[in-house]
Amino acid sequence: FLRFLLSVLVSPRMVGLRVDFGLLLEPLGFIKVLEWIFSIFAFATCGGFQGETTLLVSCKGAVNKTVTAAFAYPFRLNTVAFSAPDPQRCGGTWTDVYLVGNFSSSARFFVTLAVLAFLYCIAALVVYIGYKHVYQQSSKFPVTDLAITVITAFLWLISTFSWATALADIKMSTGASVIPGIESCQAPGTTCRFASVTSMKTLNVSVVFGLLNMVLWGGNIWFVYKDTNLHNQSKRTSQSP
């Protein structure tokens, strides 16, 4: 497929594998390696998260019974229910209690972008290493690379801030603030206390990697732009009398 794509963008006579790791020592290739690594950390820290919220419920026939609500990516919290505190469900006063909020759109946007960036970095590195001569002699390939880099940097900006906002809401929806919204905890003879929630340091790290990816892709625009005809034309224009 990659060979076919190259043949579309450039002359078929130019297509031929010539392994050369020299471009990886230049900013263009080195930054692409960092983008590849950071994209892995971005979707791994977000997509691989699993946690739970724990409450202590006291009611008739059950004292300090632990109930939990397990949640994970893609964070459809409104489908996650707390387990019943006892077989009699607190004498019939305990109804199904769900967490609040559906944050799957922001989480999936973030993870999907990270996966697509990861795949594109692999394809770009293959071109840099095996088809460096094609990349440098072609006028279409650097422009295509520039367009994808600009779009990806913009998408990292949107997805990271969207995911950071969703994460703040997830922390609210799984923290101690859930108790006032549980009607069963207001029933006579029933008391609820917040016990714990899984640490979300991993999700905080995912936001950090989102910001790092945004900076990397944004900074890489200049290095990709330097290899395009657009830069060469502007350079010739500025040097002309």
Side-chain angles (χ1 to χ4, degrees):
F1 174 76
L2 182 60
R3 188 179 182 87
F4 171 75
L5 179 61
L6 289 171
S7 64
V8 172
L9 294 175
V10 299
S11 172
R13 292 178 298 177
M14 295 173 57
V15 179
L17 180 63
R18 304 176 190 174
V19 178
D20 183 5
F21 292 91
L23 196 62
L24 298 182
L25 302 178
E26 301 177 12
L28 182 66
F30 182 72
I31 293 178
K32 190 63 67 180
V33 173
L34 293 180
E35 291 172 348
W36 176 67
I37 296 174
F38 285 5
S39 64
I40 296 176
F41 283 107
F43 68 73
T45 52
C46 178
F49 181 83
Q50 292 183 341
E52 64 179 21
T53 297
T54 304
L55 304 180
L56 293 177
V57 179
S58 297
C59 57
K60 297 178 181 179
V63 178
N64 289 338
K65 179 71 175 181
T66 301
V67 298
T68 60
F71 58 94
Y73 173 85
F75 305 102
R76 292 194 187 96
L77 301 186
N78 57 343
T79 63
V80 177
F82 284 99
S83 58
D86 62 66
Q88 290 75 34
R89 301 172 71 87
C90 284
T93 62
W94 186 275
T95 58
D96 289 336
V97 178
Y98 292 85
L99 294 175
V100 178
N102 183 352
F103 308 98
S104 60
S105 58
S106 297
R108 284 185 166 180
F109 182 25
F110 183 82
V111 171
T112 301
L113 176 62
V115 172
L116 292 177
F118 165 78
L119 295 176
Y120 177 73
C121 287
I122 293 177
L125 288 172
V126 170
V127 173
Y128 292 168
I129 295 173
Y131 301 92
K132 178 181 177 180
H133 59 291
V134 176
Y135 185 89
Q136 292 179 335
Q137 297 176 23
S138 170
S139 60
K140 297 179 181 179
F141 211 103
V143 173
T144 303
D145 193 16
L146 175 62
I148 295 176
T149 302
V150 172
I151 294 173
T152 305
F154 179 68
L155 291 178
W156 272 119
L157 172 65
I158 297 176
S159 65
T160 300
F161 282 96
S162 176
W163 168 233
T165 302
L167 178 56
D169 293 335
I170 291 172
K171 292 179 180 179
M172 289 290 295
S173 299
T174 57
S177 60
V178 301
I179 294 180
I182 301 177
E183 295 182 1
S184 299
C185 292
Q186 316 303 325
T190 302
T191 58
C192 300
R193 292 190 297 114
F194 180 77
S196 64
V197 63
T198 303
S199 174
M200 298 188 188
K201 292 181 179 180
T202 303
L203 297 181
N204 293 335
V205 172
S206 69
V207 175
V208 174
F209 277 109
L211 294 173
L212 290 175
N213 275 292
M214 180 184 67
V215 173
L216 279 174
W217 286 84
N220 199 29
I221 292 175
W222 167 248
F223 296 103
V224 178
Y225 171 72
K226 287 175 62 178
D227 286 341
T228 64
N229 287 337
L230 301 175
H231 176 260
N232 296 332
Q233 291 175 358
S234 64
K235 187 176 180 180
R236 287 194 296 266
T237 301
S238 62
Q239 291 178 348
S240 61

